[in-house]
Amino acid sequence: MGSKFAILSVAGLLTLGAQELPLDLQNSVKIDLPSNSPVTLLSANLGGSHATPRGSAMVVDLQQMVLSLRNAGDKHIRGVTLLVTAQEVTPGGRGSVTLASLDVPPGGAFPVHIDLRLLRPAQLTAGPLVQVSLDGVLFGDLSFYGPNRLDSRRAMTAWELEAQRDRRYFKTILSQRGPEGLRSSALESLVRQAERPRLDVQVVRGRSVSAAGVAPEHVAKFAFLEFPDSPVKPVEGWAQLAGSEARSPRIQVENRSGRSVRYVEIGWLVKDSQGREFMAASVPAGDPDLYLPPGRSGRVLQDAALKFSRGGQPVNIAGMTAFVSQVEFADGQVWIPNRESLAGARLLGVLAPSPEEQRLTDLYRKKGLDALIRELQKFE
Amino acid sequence: MKHPSEATLALYAGGDLHALGRWRTEHHLAGCESCRLVVEEFGALRGAMGELRDMPEIAWNRVAAEMKANIRLGLEAGECVRNAEPDSVPGQPVFPGWRALVACVSMVALVTAGFLLERTTPQNAASVEGTVLRATANGIELRQGEQTLTLLHGRTQEVLYSAGAGGSMRARYVDADTGYVTINNVYGQ
């Protein structure tokens, strides 16, 4: 026991006396852009990146890494997604960094910040710690370039449609109610964002949360919110609930439009025992081969387990509601709910604002009404 | 603002703080970035120290077996010598001498030490297996076993998190330096 205690003590001393080791770009990061990519790399800077030994592990901080990219194409860029992998550390796990609501003209340059931390075994092996590659670029005309491994085409298209929708909303306010009306709307949005009830969600894949003391599991049914213009209608659905944990949502949907559908995403709300409603998660269609011709039904299902808490305390789930939040047609066009539907279903206060609403209201908060008006006037 | 002590933050990071202390610390952490960072550091350190449980270089079983064999050899040798002496007579003590007593005590100590050293370290009842995604004070963390990948959001305070039931988590914020909406997404597979 003495020997083991001594080893632990030495490890502890090593940890306390840990030294930061600087990282260099060539050995740490591999940046991979296709030769015909519409964005090119102007420069890369690792900032203050370093590695710190901690016992038998190593903490690698790629902090303030900045990639400077240039629009080498002939169209305005609206979004870029970079795929970030550290295969040796998290086999199968990966990350991405997306810049949405961009407006980069041909020839324009823009920075992408990537901050990453890895906790890995101390034994170093050959090869870069992190690989950064291009997953996709979305242009102003909604055309797309890239391998699309993360389905970034659909995600960025939906964000761009939300951006157009919300700019249109603020511009209508400006034209109908003037600058003071716009100020009032921006403030309303900021208040809504600040007061939006939030839930801490932990996602577990591979195995549900173990544990002693977990409440008995039961099957709970979803209630549904329906939007009049939604091309897909939710029919029925269930999930397994156990106290503050939910897993395996299954929702039957029906294509009521005249066009074939290849993707459906469901918004999942949960209600706590006091009746407060929270946005829990989105449920993407798990089947990559989903195809719903007009009038046909299909199922949206996932197997991950979600654990809900608030302020460190578990939140027991008393009810669940779902709504169709996104639909992709077979021709690649995307449907999203309009603002009237969201307001009518009282979802604006529960859902996070769109990336564009977040950006515009942040601009108003930091630079004032004139900056917001100038920004809105940039877009037709 | 009075900051909690490091000991309090360490207990909080390990989930070992009593309810009142946890509430007070959470209340403080909600408005104190520096203390949140300290809690994150303690959390990461706990993860790193967890690996020390499994040190494979020392074969404790083999060491214990060798020591046990050496003691048994000594006892048997002593027995051979004792057999050569005349049988004990009534009135003599049960233990023929202090050496046997020492050997017995050593044996008990050895077995106790072996039990303590070889005992499996109990796992936290709330631990999880597989891939876990969660939002931390600094970013979104993907944990597989003792290894993690975290996409950080720097100095930004206003971050919107969302979960995907397909096994993903997203953090969205307006980059303080560029003004761009940045969306970090981590996928567990």
Side-chain angles (χ1 to χ4, degrees):
Chain A
M1 180 184 271
S3 303
K4 202 166 187 181
F5 179 75
I7 290 164
L8 284 168
S9 302
V10 170
L13 287 172
L14 283 173
T15 305
L16 289 173
Q19 296 292 312
E20 286 186 356
L21 312 169
L23 294 173
D24 66 289
L25 185 65
Q26 278 194 329
N27 292 323
S28 307
V29 182
K30 183 183 178 196
I31 300 163
D32 192 12
L33 298 179
S35 57
N36 62 343
S37 166
V39 292
T40 53
L41 181 67
L42 291 176
S43 65
N45 189 334
L46 269 189
S49 297
H50 57 268
T52 312
R54 273 192 187 158
S56 61
M58 181 78 79
V59 179
V60 179
D61 275 307
L62 290 170
Q63 284 182 356
Q64 297 155 2
M65 179 162 69
V66 183
L67 307 184
S68 182
L69 302 178
R70 178 174 166 271
N71 180 359
D74 54 4
K75 299 175 185 171
H76 278 241
I77 289 178
R78 292 285 193 246
V80 172
T81 296
L82 298 176
L83 170 64
V84 181
T85 51
Q87 208 61 26
E88 189 192 332
V89 176
T90 50
R94 52 195 176 172
S96 69
V97 176
T98 298
L99 298 188
S101 286
L102 282 177
D103 185 29
V104 181
F110 57 101
V112 183
H113 289 178
I114 300 175
D115 281 3
L116 187 77
R117 176 176 289 169
L118 305 174
L119 179 64
R120 44 164 288 162
Q123 299 90 342
L124 294 172
T125 56
L129 296 169
V130 174
Q131 296 183 339
V132 178
S133 56
L134 184 69
D135 193 62
V137 180
L138 185 78
F139 300 102
D141 59 1
L142 300 186
S143 60
F144 179 84
Y145 169 92
N148 200 29
R149 291 188 200 98
L150 302 172
D151 207 5
S152 53
R153 175 188 185 134
R154 183 188 42 74
M156 287 198 291
T157 303
W159 287 323
E160 177 57 21
L161 291 176
E162 287 177 350
Q164 292 173 7
R165 177 194 69 190
D166 292 344
R167 279 196 299 266
R168 204 161 45 239
Y169 166 75
F170 283 118
K171 287 176 85 166
T172 305
I173 297 280
L174 179 63
S175 66
Q176 291 179 351
R177 294 166 49 197
E180 284 312 308
L182 181 64
R183 184 199 301 279
S184 170
S185 288
L187 285 170
E188 276 172 24
S189 174
L190 285 169
V191 169
R192 213 166 41 232
Q193 291 173 44
E195 292 180 348
R196 188 173 70 90
R198 298 179 195 204
L199 205 55
D200 296 326
V201 184
Q202 194 178 81
V203 182
V204 182
R205 285 204 72 150
R207 182 176 181 275
S208 183
V209 179
S210 72
V214 166
E217 193 171 65
H218 66 280
V219 175
K221 281 184 85 166
F222 279 100
F224 292 111
L225 292 172
E226 288 189 43
F227 303 135
D229 64 331
S230 172
V232 170
K233 178 185 174 189
V235 181
E236 56 183 357
W238 303 266
Q240 309 278 343
L241 292 185
S244 62
E245 295 173 27
R247 66 180 178 87
S248 306
R250 280 158 169 69
I251 296 155
Q252 190 79 15
V253 294
E254 181 189 317
N255 179 4
R256 63 181 182 190
S257 76
R259 303 160 70 184
S260 296
V261 164
R262 71 177 181 200
Y263 177 85
V264 179
E265 191 168 294
I266 302 289
W268 182 359
L269 306 171
V270 293
K271 200 179 278 183
D272 69 6
S273 49
Q274 277 121 42
R276 289 174 299 192
E277 206 155 42
F278 305 89
M279 181 66 192
S282 59
V283 188
D287 181 3
D289 298 322
L290 178 78
Y291 185 80
L292 295 179
R296 292 286 289 275
S297 294
R299 186 170 279 188
V300 175
L301 68 166
Q302 289 292 346
D303 272 333
L306 306 179
K307 189 178 181 189
F308 305 105
S309 61
R310 196 166 188 227
Q313 298 301 314
V315 171
N316 283 345
I317 304 157
M320 305 188 301
T321 305
F323 61 95
V324 176
S325 59
Q326 207 178 100
V327 173
E328 185 180 23
F329 297 103
D331 61 5
Q333 288 194 357
V334 173
W335 172 89
I336 54 164
N338 58 44
R339 279 190 82 100
E340 292 72 29
S341 293
L342 295 176
R346 289 192 231 165
L347 282 174
L348 283 178
V350 181
L351 303 184
S354 72
E356 182 69 347
E357 184 171 345
Q358 190 180 4
R359 183 181 76 90
L360 292 173
T361 50
D362 184 76
L363 185 71
Y364 167 75
R365 190 164 55 89
K366 288 177 178 162
K367 298 189 176 170
L369 187 62
D370 290 343
L372 174 58
I373 292 173
R374 277 196 303 275
E375 186 65 21
L376 287 172
Q377 287 169 343
K378 279 187 193 171
F379 296 89
E380 289 301 318
Chain B
M1 187 190 330
K2 188 167 184 282
H3 298 276
S5 68
E6 283 212 335
T8 304
L9 293 176
L11 288 171
Y12 176 82
D16 296 321
L17 207 55
H18 56 86
L20 179 62
R22 191 167 61 240
W23 179 83
R24 290 176 61 185
T25 309
E26 273 165 7
H27 188 67
H28 177 81
L29 290 177
C32 180
E33 177 70 17
S34 63
C35 286
R36 279 204 298 271
L37 287 173
V38 174
V39 169
E40 278 296 305
E41 294 288 317
F42 278 125
L45 188 58
R46 275 169 57 82
M49 293 301 286
E51 291 185 358
L52 292 172
R53 286 198 300 262
D54 307 315
M55 298 182 85
E57 307 86 61
I58 300 167
W60 297 99
N61 273 337
R62 189 169 56 80
V63 171
E66 281 177 6
M67 290 174 71
K68 208 183 289 182
N70 286 337
I71 289 171
R72 189 174 291 129
L73 189 65
L75 286 173
E76 284 173 359
E79 195 65 20
C80 290
V81 173
R82 195 177 65 82
N83 285 344
E85 293 172 353
D87 287 339
S88 58
V89 292
Q92 281 191 326
V94 176
F95 291 105
W98 62 271
R99 287 186 188 87
L101 183 63
V102 169
C104 285
V105 171
S106 302
M107 197 67 176
V108 171
L110 182 69
V111 171
T112 308
F115 172 76
L116 288 172
L117 288 173
E118 280 302 308
R119 185 179 57 172
T120 309
T121 308
Q123 297 291 315
N124 184 344
S127 68
V128 292
E129 293 176 7
T131 302
V132 179
L133 283 156
R134 67 187 184 112
T136 69
N138 300 325
I140 319 168
E141 179 188 273
L142 167 69
R143 179 174 287 274
Q144 288 181 337
E146 295 294 341
Q147 303 189 35
T148 64
L149 177 154
T150 310
L151 272 178
L152 306 163
H153 44 69
R155 297 174 289 117
T156 308
Q157 300 284 326
E158 290 297 318
V159 183
L160 301 175
Y161 295 101
S162 56
S168 65
M169 192 160 274
R170 190 176 279 166
R172 170 148 59 89
Y173 58 94
V174 180
D175 189 300
D177 297 325
T178 64
Y180 296 145
V181 181
T182 304
I183 302 166
N184 289 340
N185 215 329
V186 177
Y187 311 82
Q189 302 235 313

